[in-house]
Amino acid sequence: MALKVEDLKLNVERDNRVSLLELSTGNNGIVLDVPDNIMLSTLGIRKGKMLHCRGHQLFGGPVVIKTGDRQIALHRRLAEKITIQPV
Amino acid sequence: MNKTILLMGAPNVGKSAIFNRLTGLNVRVANYTGTTVDFASGTMKLDSEIINLIDVPGTYSLCATCEAERVAVEMVCGKTGKDCPRTAPPVCCCDSGNVEVDLDKPPDLIVYVLDAGNFEGGLYLLLQLLELEAPLLVALNRSDLAREKGYFIDIEALSEQLNIPVVPTIAVSGDGLDHLREKILASLGSNEQKRTEKQQLKATWDNVEKIVDQVFFKREPPVNSNRDKWDQLLTRPWPGLPLAAVIMLVIFAGIVGIGMGLRQFLLLPLFRGLIIPPLVMLVSELLPPGIIQNIFIGEYGFLVKGLEWPFTLVLPYVLSFYTVLNLVEDSGYMPRLAILLDGLFNRIGLAGSGIIPLTLGYGCGIPAIMASRSLSSRKERLIVTILVCLAVPCISQTGAFIALLAARSAAVMISVFLFSWLVMITAGLIMNRFIKGEQLESMVEIPDLLLPRLDGIMKKLYLRLKLYITDGALPMIGAVAVAAVLYETGIMAALGRAISPLVTGWLRLPEEAAAPLVLGILRRELSVLPLIDLDLTTLQLFTGAIVGLFYVPCIAILATVAREFKPLFALFILLLTTGLAFIVGGVIARLGALFM
């Protein structure tokens, strides 16, 4: 299921990595880099995983993402630390 | 010594539901993470053998990140000898039919509850436990939900891979539980684990994914059900936020409406018409008129007010509040509300999930303070606790407010609630500035929306009702009896005269209003109820209600605060609430006089 990060880099010509915070609603991205945090890995946010942005909450609230079939709300500061490759 | 079984797993996978099924006990279950913050223990009977079963708080891994998780880690660490962050010793819930548990002894079996709908997330902790060579058995719960999502899990292959038994269960309906009992018995019987013959899998995410690849299959693309549509509507700011406002309004109106209906058409006729008059007649025949008779059936007569207040004023709202709360809890809406409000809550130093203990506080402050354990920082716990003690009226007090204010002026009642929110926001902003703590970086899993099951709701309501009778109504009757004695012996009047400068001079209330201030220390609603029979102006009503709201949050809450934090903190709460009640009350009495 999970794509290898290395394979992906070969396939994408232009490196347009962004932070998860910059992924807009309805788009997908693959995790390239993620802080070492057991909660994140348990929730399925690990290198090579596909994330789908479900929306951004107002008032500086969290980013809601979907990975697999799990829905997760991440604080903006945390989302900023996660680097993704939009696909 | 009885054998001990630990029930473990990630948060919100249904451990408590399985625990209840196995033991016949009732610990609280709800559809959000962190319902079990202490471990609960009970016994089950298997084949004439009594076995201790311990419901461990949910945890994602063996590195604890919050109070509730630390409790869990410690329980496994007790046996493994591995280092773990020891904090306060785990406390056993008091309402779960306690059994003696020896925590130093290794558990004889760990029943690991794995959510079939969130299969992958639970595997890591399972591998960690396997690494520790703990005797394990897997209950693959929520298999119904997994099927609906289009998942198929090859149970035999999973069992083969892990080399431990795996039993599919649906805890809420009870399916698979008999099978689970059989397997538990079999596992306890064969003490020698035969796992040595096979290479042990290391706890890494690579291995987790390897297992998933081999045993987990998904129908692609997954069925896009109505669930998803509702989820989008409720979770996105638009239309989620306006919908949240509508839902809150419906909830509020529902609680007040159902409560008033129950009071008007059921409980009031029942008690005023059928139960109290014969009691009054009986007492007036048995006892001569005088102080003693008055204690029973006089002004504060505890056979009159002592029955009317708890059963016709408060009980209707206890029933309506918990019916509605149970519906909301089981639906999975609370975490959605939490993320919608997260940004705003951050400004008062809380993550959005702080809304859960605060909401519980509108029922009773004690479970609210206990539930604050599942918040991730000490700062959040302090803020939630102070807010609950300060300005969240418990359901008894809300019932009292409705009785006192709704008939006279709905506007005053709504003002009391608006004022309480204003104070909470102000207090939150101040505390966010002055209480030290790390920056919040919350991550929350949003559970699936579930249609609440009627049997579950009714069962929880029944438990609440029982708890209310023993922990709410009986103490209230006792407190009214104390009031009756104080009143009839003239002590109340003397106390009233003693603090009358405060009551009449500063708060500008009649002298009799000293009674609620004395009684309010015992129970929160008693700081309001005695005002009902006084002839107060609208301004006095508002002043009295506000003083009652901020006043001492009842003895039981102070005791809980002292136990959960420090006695000194409870003293601080006592001074803060009392001080604020009088300061704000006096200011309102004066400012209000300018306008009215």
mmCIF file of all heavy atoms in Angstrom, chain B residues 87 167 197 210 350 408 441 475 534 541 557:
data_model
loop_
_atom_site.group_PDB
_atom_site.id
_atom_site.type_symbol
_atom_site.label_atom_id
_atom_site.label_comp_id
_atom_site.label_asym_id
_atom_site.label_seq_id
_atom_site.Cartn_x
_atom_site.Cartn_y
_atom_site.Cartn_z
ATOM 1 N N THR B 87 3.905 8.349 38.137
ATOM 2 C CA THR B 87 3.346 9.558 38.757
ATOM 3 C C THR B 87 2.498 9.102 39.917
ATOM 4 O O THR B 87 2.903 8.225 40.645
ATOM 5 C CB THR B 87 2.501 10.348 37.747
ATOM 6 O OG1 THR B 87 1.583 9.445 37.152
ATOM 7 C CG2 THR B 87 3.369 10.995 36.701
ATOM 8 N N VAL B 167 -10.282 -13.301 18.679
ATOM 9 C CA VAL B 167 -11.726 -13.540 18.710
ATOM 10 C C VAL B 167 -12.469 -12.303 18.214
ATOM 11 O O VAL B 167 -12.264 -11.218 18.758
ATOM 12 C CB VAL B 167 -12.195 -13.822 20.162
ATOM 13 C CG1 VAL B 167 -13.670 -14.186 20.174
ATOM 14 C CG2 VAL B 167 -11.359 -14.900 20.802
ATOM 15 N N GLU B 197 8.573 -20.995 19.885
ATOM 16 C CA GLU B 197 8.940 -21.696 18.654
ATOM 17 C C GLU B 197 9.007 -20.779 17.442
ATOM 18 O O GLU B 197 9.555 -21.127 16.421
ATOM 19 C CB GLU B 197 7.908 -22.817 18.405
ATOM 20 C CG GLU B 197 6.493 -22.316 18.515
ATOM 21 C CD GLU B 197 5.492 -23.463 18.617
ATOM 22 O OE1 GLU B 197 5.299 -24.016 19.711
ATOM 23 O OE2 GLU B 197 4.950 -23.802 17.569
ATOM 24 N N LYS B 210 3.397 -4.787 7.379
ATOM 25 C CA LYS B 210 3.516 -6.130 6.817
ATOM 26 C C LYS B 210 2.298 -6.971 7.207
ATOM 27 O O LYS B 210 1.693 -7.646 6.375
ATOM 28 C CB LYS B 210 4.806 -6.787 7.326
ATOM 29 C CG LYS B 210 5.674 -7.347 6.203
ATOM 30 C CD LYS B 210 6.959 -7.925 6.770
ATOM 31 C CE LYS B 210 8.077 -6.889 6.776
ATOM 32 N NZ LYS B 210 9.237 -7.299 7.580
ATOM 33 N N LEU B 350 -7.222 26.335 26.322
ATOM 34 C CA LEU B 350 -7.680 24.946 26.232
ATOM 35 C C LEU B 350 -7.633 24.448 24.798
ATOM 36 O O LEU B 350 -7.733 25.237 23.858
ATOM 37 C CB LEU B 350 -9.130 24.838 26.726
ATOM 38 C CG LEU B 350 -9.406 25.154 28.177
ATOM 39 C CD1 LEU B 350 -10.899 25.115 28.439
ATOM 40 C CD2 LEU B 350 -8.687 24.152 29.071
ATOM 41 N N ARG B 408 -40.765 33.773 36.443
ATOM 42 C CA ARG B 408 -40.808 35.229 36.577
ATOM 43 C C ARG B 408 -40.370 35.929 35.306
ATOM 44 O O ARG B 408 -41.047 36.829 34.804
ATOM 45 C CB ARG B 408 -39.904 35.659 37.737
ATOM 46 C CG ARG B 408 -40.472 35.369 39.097
ATOM 47 C CD ARG B 408 -41.557 36.362 39.501
ATOM 48 N NE ARG B 408 -41.012 37.714 39.648
ATOM 49 C CZ ARG B 408 -40.493 38.169 40.782
ATOM 50 N NH1 ARG B 408 -40.441 37.398 41.836
ATOM 51 N NH2 ARG B 408 -40.021 39.394 40.855
ATOM 52 N N GLU B 441 -0.396 21.535 21.099
ATOM 53 C CA GLU B 441 -0.272 21.019 19.731
ATOM 54 C C GLU B 441 -1.103 19.754 19.662
ATOM 55 O O GLU B 441 -0.572 18.649 19.571
ATOM 56 C CB GLU B 441 1.187 20.720 19.392
ATOM 57 C CG GLU B 441 2.010 21.968 19.191
ATOM 58 C CD GLU B 441 3.373 21.679 18.617
ATOM 59 O OE1 GLU B 441 3.738 20.497 18.492
ATOM 60 O OE2 GLU B 441 4.074 22.648 18.288
ATOM 61 N N PRO B 475 -28.524 13.144 49.911
ATOM 62 C CA PRO B 475 -27.840 14.251 50.596
ATOM 63 C C PRO B 475 -28.682 15.522 50.618
ATOM 64 O O PRO B 475 -28.636 16.283 51.588
ATOM 65 C CB PRO B 475 -26.573 14.464 49.759
ATOM 66 C CG PRO B 475 -26.363 13.191 49.041
ATOM 67 C CD PRO B 475 -27.715 12.587 48.822
ATOM 68 N N LEU B 534 -39.118 33.703 48.618
ATOM 69 C CA LEU B 534 -39.012 35.099 49.035
ATOM 70 C C LEU B 534 -39.612 35.983 47.947
ATOM 71 O O LEU B 534 -39.619 35.621 46.772
ATOM 72 C CB LEU B 534 -37.537 35.479 49.256
ATOM 73 C CG LEU B 534 -36.771 34.623 50.266
ATOM 74 C CD1 LEU B 534 -35.347 35.102 50.376
ATOM 75 C CD2 LEU B 534 -37.464 34.656 51.610
ATOM 76 N N LEU B 541 -33.567 39.079 42.159
ATOM 77 C CA LEU B 541 -33.513 37.718 41.619
ATOM 78 C C LEU B 541 -32.190 37.498 40.897
ATOM 79 O O LEU B 541 -31.510 36.487 41.078
ATOM 80 C CB LEU B 541 -34.652 37.495 40.618
ATOM 81 C CG LEU B 541 -36.021 37.140 41.164
ATOM 82 C CD1 LEU B 541 -37.000 37.001 40.018
ATOM 83 C CD2 LEU B 541 -35.947 35.837 41.946
ATOM 84 N N ILE B 557 -17.472 18.683 45.662
ATOM 85 C CA ILE B 557 -16.543 19.115 44.617
ATOM 86 C C ILE B 557 -15.223 19.554 45.229
ATOM 87 O O ILE B 557 -14.145 19.206 44.733
ATOM 88 C CB ILE B 557 -17.169 20.243 43.773
ATOM 89 C CG1 ILE B 557 -18.289 19.676 42.911
ATOM 90 C CG2 ILE B 557 -16.109 20.917 42.903
ATOM 91 C CD1 ILE B 557 -18.855 20.633 41.921
#
